[in-house]
Amino acid sequence: MNGLYTGKLIELRPVTREDMERMYVWRNDEEAATWAAGTSVATYSNISLESLQTIYDETVRTTQLSNKLNRFIFSVYTRDGVHIGNCDYRDVHPITRAATIGIAIMDKGYWSKGYGTDTLQVLLRFLFNKLNLNRVQLDTWSGNARAIRAYEKCGFVVEGRLRQNEYVDGQYYDTIMMGLLREDFFRNK
């Protein structure tokens, strides 16, 4: 096993340049990109492999080497070594000890099988135990029921709603803002 942080189904690994090849395929798959990016699908998808490799070289690699306390991107791998997506944390606030997270299980063969929930649990354990955060937040679009269920399973609660703030496939959706406090995460364990 190569991952630093493992769960029942997944392990989190630092993103490698080779992971960008799979990300290229996923980000250019309309269905996978829509679920991952919602309103931002137009800028998230239709990207070249060279652009993704440049993003890796200029952003991901630099962040991983220099600024792990404020932002980090992980590749999500199954315990048997299959790369299935990514997750990240960003915008870490040193005084309130809060951060924003994101997660995308991009390989369709692993949807609705618990991999997203397991990824969230591993990422949250890392953030609360290793970075000593007190609060984690995220947002998604209201049409992404699968993601909302996974967030709720991990203890997230809806803290706000921006009405008709998302536009996906010709329809307006709300932005759902969710949060989780350290004490609530450990109370539910």
Side-chain angles (χ1 to χ4, degrees), residues 7 9-12 76-77 84 86-87 102-105 114-125 154:
L9 301 172
I10 64 94
E11 58 185 32
L12 301 182
V76 178
Y77 277 78
I84 62 171
N86 60 36
C87 65
I103 173 178
I105 302 301
Y115 288 88
T117 300
D118 197 43
T119 299
L120 280 167
Q121 291 172 340
V122 173
L123 180 60
L124 292 166
R125 274 197 317 270
C154 291

Side-chain angles (χ1 to χ4, degrees), residues 2-4 12-16 19 56 60 64 72-75 77:
N2 298 320
L4 294 173
L12 301 182
R13 300 180 185 178
V15 175
T16 66
D19 291 340
Y56 173 80
V60 175
Q64 290 177 342
F72 197 81
I73 302 170
F74 293 101
S75 285
Y77 277 78

Side-chain angles (χ1 to χ4, degrees), residues 69-72 87-93 98-103 127 133 137-139:
L69 292 179
N70 189 48
R71 178 180 180 87
F72 197 81
C87 65
D88 75 292
Y89 64 88
R90 58 195 175 279
D91 304 325
V92 175
H93 194 285
T100 301
I101 65 168
I103 173 178
L127 293 172
L133 294 184
Q137 59 197 35
L138 55 81
D139 66 71

